[in-house]
Amino acid sequence: MEALLTWLETQLADNSIFTLDTLSYYGQGLTTTVQLVFLSLIIGLIFAVPLSIGRGSKRRWIKMPIFFFTYVFRGTPLLVQLYLIYYGVVFVEGIQDTWLWVLLEKPFFPALVAFTLNTAAYTTEIFHGAIKATGRGEIEAARAYGMRYSLMMRRIVLPSAFRRALPAYGNEVIFMLHASAIASVVTIMDLTGAARFVYARFYAPFDAFLFVAGIYLCLTFAILFLFRYLEKRLLAHLKPASG
């Protein structure tokens, strides 16, 4: 590790902007961005699966609150949601006297809540559409085998819906990565926050933001490669037979 740092320091000796010190800020920002996006996607996905099932319920008292939730969070800007949660949490009476305040006073956790609710709303609609697109023949075959509703959802509907939703969900993951750039407005040192710091320190906007744009591009291509691989493996049965 010391040899690598020595080599980097030698390579950057003539560069007044990108030094080991400034690169450490980008490294910190990269770590924060990946953590924020990864955690929000995982928690949002966990919420979205039962919500997408409830979204298709025939009972209005189940599906209407879920519809309202997805309508609100898909119909308002993520930046506004972030501001409302980050600044609005302090106005909740008694919140500062509970154990939750230890988490919520740090900007990372309000941002995580805002990102999680936003991606949960979009993912719910993605999975709801995929569940609705399940072939009637699959459902009738499951019923013919005597499967209960819960067993049919777990073994037939959800696996099939997940495969169909994979391309759209890949776009949602990329959207969340790009949307995470607004986290810096609530003092989080993410990738964009690191670029702002370098810009403010050296007055070099093009260098600072072009470098962070390159990092976002690399992350985006990595996500695209992962989802293309998953689509190739999970949707291989949809390819037309050769010759």
Side-chain angles (χ1 to χ4, degrees), residues 176-199:
M176 286 305 300
L177 172 64
H178 295 169
S180 69
I182 68 172
S184 61
V185 301
V186 291
T187 71
I188 293 178
M189 181 60 76
D190 66 337
L191 279 171
T192 308
R196 287 182 175 179
F197 171 81
V198 174
Y199 163 51

Side-chain angles (χ1 to χ4, degrees), residues 49 52-53 131 152-154 156-163:
V49 173
S52 61
I53 297 173
I131 291 173
M152 179 179 66
M153 292 296 296
R154 188 171 70 250
I156 305 297
V157 178
L158 289 180
S160 177
F162 177 77
R163 289 194 294 267

Side-chain angles (χ1 to χ4, degrees), residues 108-119:
F108 182 86
F109 289 95
L112 178 61
V113 171
F115 280 50
T116 297
L117 293 175
N118 186 272
T119 189

Side-chain angles (χ1 to χ4, degrees), residues 13-228:
D14 298 329
N15 196 311
S16 60
I17 299 177
F18 295 106
T19 62
L20 288 180
D21 185 35
T22 55
L23 288 179
S24 68
Y25 284 98
Y26 281 110
Q28 178 186 348
L30 176 61
T31 301
T32 303
T33 294
V34 171
Q35 288 177 343
L36 181 61
V37 174
F38 179 78
L39 288 175
S40 62
L41 287 170
I42 292 298
I43 301 172
L45 181 62
I46 293 173
F47 286 153
V49 173
L51 288 175
S52 61
I53 297 173
R55 177 76 171 80
S57 174
K58 295 180 180 179
R59 297 180 175 89
R60 292 180 60 85
W61 63 272
I62 294 179
K63 69 178 181 180
M64 291 309 296
I66 299 175
F67 169 77
F68 180 75
F69 162 73
T70 60
Y71 181 81
V72 169
F73 279 90
R74 291 190 307 130
T76 55
L78 178 55
L79 180 59
V80 174
Q81 298 166 19
L82 178 59
Y83 277 143
L84 287 174
I85 293 174
Y86 178 71
Y87 293 109
V89 71
V90 298
F91 294 103
V92 178
E93 186 175 356
I95 190 69
Q96 299 186 29
D97 299 325
T98 66
W99 63 270
L100 287 173
W101 184 246
V102 178
L103 301 177
L104 294 175
E105 67 176 345
K106 301 175 182 177
F108 182 86
F109 289 95
L112 178 61
V113 171
F115 280 50
T116 297
L117 293 175
N118 186 272
T119 189
Y122 279 95
T123 307
T124 296
E125 289 298 325
I126 291 172
F127 282 0
H128 170 60
I131 291 173
K132 285 181 61 178
T134 303
R136 184 176 296 274
E138 296 181 54
I139 296 177
E140 291 178 352
R143 289 173 177 168
Y145 271 96
M147 288 187 181
R148 300 185 307 275
Y149 178 80
S150 59
L151 184 62
M152 179 179 66
M153 292 296 296
R154 188 171 70 250
R155 290 188 176 180
I156 305 297
V157 178
L158 289 180
S160 177
F162 177 77
R163 289 194 294 267
R164 284 190 298 274
L166 198 57
Y169 186 66
N171 292 333
E172 168 61 13
V173 172
I174 294 174
F175 167 78
M176 286 305 300
L177 172 64
H178 295 169
S180 69
I182 68 172
S184 61
V185 301
V186 291
T187 71
I188 293 178
M189 181 60 76
D190 66 337
L191 279 171
T192 308
R196 287 182 175 179
F197 171 81
V198 174
Y199 163 51
R201 184 174 180 180
F202 297 98
Y203 299 100
F206 290 103
D207 303 76
F209 287 103
L210 282 175
F211 185 75
V212 82
I215 298 177
Y216 277 115
L217 277 174
C218 292
L219 291 174
T220 300
F221 281 124
I223 294 171
L224 282 173
F225 177 81
L226 173 63
F227 275 89
R228 292 296 179 270

